[in-house]
Amino acid sequence: MDLQVLRSFQAVAEGLTVTEAAAEARVTQPALSRALRRLEQEVGAELLQRVGRVLCLTPAGRVFKEYVDAALDSYDRGRRAVAEAVHPDTGLVSLAFLHTLGTWLVPRLVTGFREEFPGVRFELYQHGEQGLVRHLLDGTAELMITSGDPEHPLITWRRLLVEPLWLAVPVRHRLARRDRVRLAEVADEPFILLKSGYGLRSITESLCREAGFGPRVAFEGEEVQTLRGLVAAGLGVSLIPSSPDTAATPDFPIRYLELTDVRGARDIGIAWLTGRALPPASRRFIGHALRATAKVADGRR
């Protein structure tokens, strides 16, 4: 059984035509068609069937594709591991991370790691918590940086740091002259939130419930920068992670207030699949992230 035929089967199963898959494999379309038929003979079942003008997986093909995906993924990771063992200062780190960490933590970690290992490349994916877990489980990414332990039986999670959450209010807000507030004091105010499925949204709703109310949603966004901009425009208040750029500027005239009646903070951690052997570059990045964030935590004390 030829690996290239398996890759072509995978490509056709995921939507390419036989002609397109043949071009990717640099073979003729008739040659690939014959190879796919031989694959079906080896497996002992019809894997693809024509529906109209496209080929679709049969029930047997769907079962077989799961194993093909796993086999090709394992083979590719094995080749990477060998290459990194031969050339330890190179390799690839496949990392998925929260949108809210893309403005400070992830760039800081990547920059520090590349200073030590300049030959290492990165594949980066940005998403909310649910999307991050999918990236990890389907093998798109080998590592993820997220808020809170996903508590998944297949995932190992290590805390990197505790990130404070501040109440963001416009500079002309009635509470803007204060440094510390109770979250309950804004129970009647409109909230600017991330959409459902984002961890910060869940944390905000949980903290509001703890403070005795449910947030009145004025707007749902997908980026913390959007939340900050709408708070600055006076459209509501929001809970914002405390990153190095959370300071009032002419573009973002906001005051950030410490919460006193609830624990305004979230855990940030790094995770990977428990049973997967990580390539050397990914293992080194985990160690780097743990050391680098320990320094950040020390600096905040």
Side-chain angles (χ1 to χ4, degrees):
M1 192 175 291
D2 189 326
L3 278 177
Q4 184 54 60
V5 176
L6 293 180
R7 293 193 191 280
S8 296
F9 164 76
Q10 186 184 57
V12 172
E14 292 175 354
L16 288 190
T17 65
V18 175
T19 301
E20 292 168 336
E24 278 195 355
R26 299 185 180 180
V27 298
T28 65
Q29 184 270 329
L32 180 55
S33 294
R34 289 193 296 271
L36 291 174
R37 285 195 293 271
R38 286 195 300 272
L39 178 63
E40 290 179 323
Q41 292 171 0
E42 291 182 37
V43 174
E46 183 183 28
L47 302 175
L48 298 160
Q49 61 183 4
R50 187 166 293 281
V51 178
R53 301 180 63 181
V54 299
L55 286 176
C56 297
L57 287 171
T58 64
R62 285 194 292 273
V63 172
F64 185 62
K65 184 178 181 297
E66 292 181 15
Y67 291 90
V68 169
D69 290 345
L72 292 177
D73 178 62
S74 182
Y75 175 76
D76 290 339
R77 287 189 292 108
R79 289 188 59 188
R80 279 177 50 196
V82 170
E84 291 177 22
V86 174
H87 304 288
D89 291 337
T90 64
L92 175 70
V93 175
S94 179
L95 175 67
F97 59 92
L98 279 178
H99 286 86
T100 52
L101 303 177
T103 60
W104 73 283
L105 180 60
V106 172
R108 179 181 296 185
L109 293 178
V110 169
T111 298
F113 188 75
R114 294 194 69 197
E115 288 175 355
E116 188 174 356
F117 301 103
V120 172
R121 296 177 296 114
F122 279 84
E123 282 183 353
L124 300 176
Y125 305 91
Q126 197 176 30
H127 221 292
E129 269 82 353
Q130 294 176 1
L132 295 183
V133 171
R134 286 197 301 270
H135 277 306
L136 209 59
L137 294 176
D138 67 16
T140 307
E142 289 178 332
L143 304 174
M144 72 173 182
I145 298 179
T146 187
S147 68
D149 187 343
E151 297 182 345
H152 192 287
L154 300 179
I155 294 176
T156 297
W157 182 87
R158 292 280 303 277
R159 181 183 288 105
L160 294 175
L161 53 84
V162 177
E163 183 179 40
L165 298 176
W166 301 90
L167 179 69
V169 301
V171 292
R172 297 181 185 276
H173 191 273
R174 59 186 174 85
L175 300 174
R177 293 182 179 275
R178 292 167 54 181
D179 295 323
R180 307 168 77 219
V181 297
R182 291 180 299 110
L183 185 58
E185 293 182 69
V186 291
D188 295 329
E189 307 231 3
F191 271 73
I192 312 297
L193 302 175
L194 292 181
K195 291 182 177 179
S196 296
Y198 289 86
L200 185 59
R201 169 65 175 264
S202 299
I203 293 172
T204 298
E205 291 176 332
S206 177
L207 291 176
C208 288
R209 284 195 300 270
E210 187 179 340
F213 69 97
R216 181 160 60 89
V217 181
F219 180 83
E220 299 176 306
E222 296 181 349
E223 296 281 351
V224 169
Q225 286 293 84
T226 301
L227 307 190
R228 293 175 63 191
L230 295 181
V231 169
L235 298 183
V237 301
S238 187
L239 290 186
I240 301 290
S242 174
S243 62
D245 60 354
T246 49
T249 67
D251 293 330
F252 295 100
I254 296 172
R255 282 279 293 153
Y256 296 95
L257 312 177
E258 182 183 352
L259 299 173
T260 60
D261 56 341
V262 294
R263 179 182 180 266
R266 63 176 181 173
D267 293 327
I268 302 298
I270 189 166
W272 59 92
L273 288 183
T274 303
R276 172 171 289 182
L278 293 174
S282 294
R283 293 199 303 271
R284 286 195 295 265
F285 184 79
I286 292 172
H288 167 76
L290 291 168
R291 292 190 300 273
T293 51
K295 295 178 181 177
V296 171
D298 289 341
R300 281 179 167 170
R301 290 192 181 101

